[in-house]
Amino acid sequence: MANAEGPQIQIESRKDRAVDPVEHRSKWQCLICLILAATLWIFGIASPVSAAPLTIESLQQRIEQPVRREGQLTLDLRRLTLDLRDENKDFRERFYALVQTQLQRESAPVGLDLSYSTVLGDLNLQRLGLSPSFYGDQPGNSSEKSLEDLPGERRPLSDVATEQLNRDRNRLIQLGRLSQSLLLQTPSASQKIGLFPGPLKLVQTRVTGQLLASDTYFLNTVDAQQAIFAQAADWSGARFMRPVQFINSQFQQGSQFRNALFFERTRFNQTRFDGDNSFQNTEFRASAYFNQARFDGTANFSRTAWQNNVDFAQAQFVEPAAFAKAQFGQALFLNEAQFKAPVSFRLAQFSQPVNLRGATIQAQVDFGDARFSPSAYLNAADLEFNPESAQILGTPGQIGQAFSVPTLTGNETVLRNLVRNFRQAEQIADANQVEYTAERLRLKRLTQQIIGVNVNTASALTLTQLGLSPRQVESLLQSRAQQPFLDSADLLQLEVMDLATYVKIRDRIFTSTSLSVEQRLAAVCRWLGLSLLLLLSRYGTSVGLVFGVGLVAIALYGVMFWAIDRYRRRIPIPIIPPLNETICIGVSFVGLTTLGLSSLYRSAERPWLTLMCLGLIALPTPLVLLIWIYRRGRYHDLMDVSYFVQDGSARQIRLLIARLPVIPQFPFYRDRYTYLPVDRRWNWLNYYDFSLNNWFRFGFNDTRLRDQSVPGLITTLVWYQWALGVLYIALLLWTLSRTIPGLNLLLYF
């Protein structure tokens, strides 16, 4: 029997051992979970599963034993549950009374730490801290103590805060009097300003009711990282004297920061606003950070004053946002921000650049009547914008000048979409301005290709002369040997390349394959043509500039034709104009030139460069021909009559698009064309008319050059001006068609 039972027992023990690995694995899983939970608890990543309820006894014990954190006495109410609901009214009143007494009793400011706690019901911060009287001019309040009556350490206000407090007191006094005079408020009602002298910590605090902190001065830091406000949070009129942190907090209902004032750095990083929030009339005197914040409700930043940088990078606006009449004293960062609903910047003031790099616009953005200082612009690099589903609005003729991108590479689609956007809105001037910006960048790129350094083919010596260190040159050569650079910005991927060096050399380098001689010549030709279009017409966007150039050219060539026709020789028989005609032509030349130059200087971006370009085109060849004419002298037939003739068969305003500058050789036309009447006092007007015909293809009389006894140099000068006139009229018609909607239909059909 013993032997029979032995194997059976062994079999059972083996079965038991077969189950052991499962149980062993379960124990290890439980142990790992406990270790993770302990780690999260130690580092404060997770809030406690349950918080002990706060009682009057425990509250009194903590009040009697404040702790010192970071050199500051603090009332420690962490990891507790505070029941401040209406059904627990007795505890709520005792809580506020005891805490307020403690905060006022100490000789130095005492902080309040509610981190990792849960507040059931409303949390009223107005009832905590100091409450100085500000109705000192009312009866019965003359004996109340003011802030200046407190001991030295009990007066933590700085001069700036004291001045602000006095302004707020006077403002509330005036509002109270106005309310009483209009019977809007009973005489017994009063408005209070609360002073919270110590630091306030709400790290991972959850408030299930409302948070009331309006008209409260927070004289120390406010730290509300990862706090959750389940109901409305009212911070209206609050004054924050020290840094404020709402990092990764959540406002599940509406939040009010109207008329608030932040004296130092403010952080709302990764904060979530589930309900409507208002920062209307709020003032930020230091940097404000809203990067990665999410606005699921309407965001009202109207009339907000930002005296320093404000960062909305990667922020998401799901519902409409308003920045109307806001003032931005420094840069506004909207990098990679997402606008899924309309956003308004109407009447906003920008003193520094607005960075929209990588931002996404899916609705309407309105910059109507916004004001940009000379140093402010909209950086639209890598802007995600589809004009078919979104829209950018602004003041016609101004908003297009505000957009800017650093380089054309990678931003051609952005600029093209902006042009389409403004053309769909019938803002032709803004569309042309954006296109002008694009062509300027194209000219810059051509310049780099012609005279710049190609980092894909440049030698080590050339790269060193460019300003790179030997280590940077070596790293660049090794990198391009593996793969050529596609864009100059790829240099920043090199570990040894710093941003300062890249900014210094980026305008002198380019990346491409080696250019042949033919390609370089083609690039030079494109550069010359594009330069002329930009200088003489702002790439077809400025009618005033084109007309200014035309007036200067008409006056210049009119005087030239008058000189070669009326001042021919002094010997043997003088053929010169009378003095009164010389005075008339001189005065008219000065007048026309002044009008043309005034229009040119108002319209051109670089007036002197435009004037130099015009001079290089219009002056060298005519001057050479004039010098040659007067050095050779003129001895030919018909010396006593004018070189120019006019059609005497009709006197009318004419469009002379297809007309040539020389009279036809058919004898019948000589009967129709008569020589200019040089004996008339007003004859000098005919020379301007001839110049007008050649440039604008428009005139009062069909004035041409005669076909008999004319020196070839004079004919060359006339044909030269006529050839320039063909190019000019094409430029004028192209500019008119781009600047006046619908005119291109008239021109083409």
Side-chain angles (χ1 to χ4, degrees), residues 114 116-120 204-208 227-230 252:
L114 293 172
Y116 313 108
S117 295
T118 301
V119 179
L120 303 178
Q204 295 190 29
T205 302
R206 179 180 177 85
V207 182
T208 63
I228 299 176
F229 303 97
Q252 296 181 349

Side-chain angles (χ1 to χ4, degrees), residues 706-718:
R706 74 189 189 193
D707 64 332
Q708 291 180 324
S709 302
V710 178
L713 295 177
I714 296 178
T715 304
T716 303
L717 177 61
V718 171

Side-chain angles (χ1 to χ4, degrees), residues 164-182:
Q164 183 64 39
L165 176 61
N166 293 332
R167 284 199 297 265
D168 290 337
R169 292 167 64 181
N170 294 331
R171 175 177 57 85
L172 292 179
I173 289 173
Q174 298 298 329
L175 289 176
R177 291 175 177 174
L178 180 62
S179 299
Q180 294 179 18
S181 64
L182 297 177

Side-chain angles (χ1 to χ4, degrees), residues 202-476:
L202 299 173
V203 178
Q204 295 190 29
T205 302
R206 179 180 177 85
V207 182
T208 63
Q210 297 184 10
L211 186 139
L212 305 174
S214 60
D215 296 319
T216 302
Y217 273 67
F218 294 93
L219 307 181
N220 217 305
T221 58
V222 176
D223 189 356
Q225 299 185 55
Q226 302 182 31
I228 299 176
F229 303 97
Q231 298 296 325
D234 188 4
W235 304 82
S236 301
R239 303 292 187 257
F240 301 91
M241 303 297 170
R242 300 294 299 276
V244 179
Q245 295 191 82
F246 285 91
I247 299 175
N248 205 14
S249 297
Q250 185 175 356
F251 295 87
Q252 296 181 349
Q253 298 294 329
S255 59
Q256 295 290 333
F257 286 87
R258 290 183 295 106
N259 300 312
L261 179 57
F262 297 86
F263 282 85
E264 294 193 21
R265 184 183 64 248
T266 307
R267 291 186 179 275
F268 284 88
N269 311 59
Q270 302 177 0
T271 301
R272 181 166 180 171
F273 298 89
D274 294 334
D276 298 340
N277 68 92
S278 176
F279 286 82
Q280 189 175 12
N281 290 318
T282 301
E283 183 176 353
F284 295 85
R285 296 189 178 179
S287 299
Y289 299 90
F290 289 82
N291 50 301
Q292 298 183 11
R294 181 182 176 91
F295 299 88
D296 288 328
T298 59
N300 188 356
F301 290 91
S302 301
R303 300 179 183 273
T304 304
W306 316 80
Q307 296 187 10
N308 214 309
N309 295 333
V310 53
D311 187 2
F312 280 94
Q314 299 182 9
Q316 298 183 39
F317 296 88
V318 180
E319 294 296 326
F323 291 85
K325 298 184 180 180
Q327 299 179 6
F328 299 92
Q330 296 295 327
L332 170 60
F333 294 94
L334 294 170
N335 311 52
E336 301 181 13
Q338 296 183 19
F339 300 97
K340 300 181 180 180
V343 180
S344 174
F345 288 92
R346 292 189 63 84
L347 296 171
Q349 300 181 23
F350 301 97
S351 300
Q352 294 296 326
V354 179
N355 198 338
L356 288 168
R357 179 183 290 273
T360 302
I361 298 177
Q362 300 179 4
Q364 177 179 290
V365 177
D366 188 2
F367 288 94
D369 298 318
R371 286 179 288 179
F372 295 87
S373 68
S375 59
Y377 58 87
L378 300 174
N379 183 5
D382 302 325
L383 179 67
E384 295 290 337
F385 170 67
N386 185 0
E388 300 299 331
S389 58
Q391 190 176 27
I392 297 178
L393 301 178
T395 305
Q398 297 181 9
I399 185 62
Q401 300 177 3
F403 282 96
S404 175
V405 293
T407 59
L408 186 63
T409 304
N411 293 307
E412 292 189 66
T413 302
V414 175
L415 296 174
R416 192 180 304 113
N417 288 336
L418 289 174
V419 171
R420 291 175 56 195
N421 169 80
F422 290 123
R423 291 199 180 277
Q424 290 176 3
E426 296 185 358
Q427 296 183 212
I428 305 302
D430 297 311
N432 289 338
Q433 179 62 38
V434 174
E435 196 164 0
Y436 171 67
T437 301
E439 296 306 320
R440 286 181 55 195
L441 294 173
R442 196 181 308 278
L443 180 66
K444 180 180 178 181
R445 188 169 65 181
L446 285 173
T447 304
Q448 292 174 348
Q449 292 178 356
I450 295 173
I451 63 174
V453 176
N454 188 351
V455 295
N456 286 328
T457 59
S459 62
L461 178 61
T462 303
L463 294 174
T464 303
Q465 295 174 350
L466 188 64
L468 298 180
S469 64
R471 184 182 176 188
Q472 291 172 339
V473 171
E474 182 181 0
S475 177
L476 189 150

Side-chain angles (χ1 to χ4, degrees), residues 90-104:
D90 295 337
F91 173 80
R92 181 180 63 189
E93 297 301 324
R94 291 289 304 277
F95 168 80
Y96 284 117
L98 291 174
V99 173
Q100 185 182 42
T101 302
Q102 171 64 14
L103 295 179
Q104 294 182 0

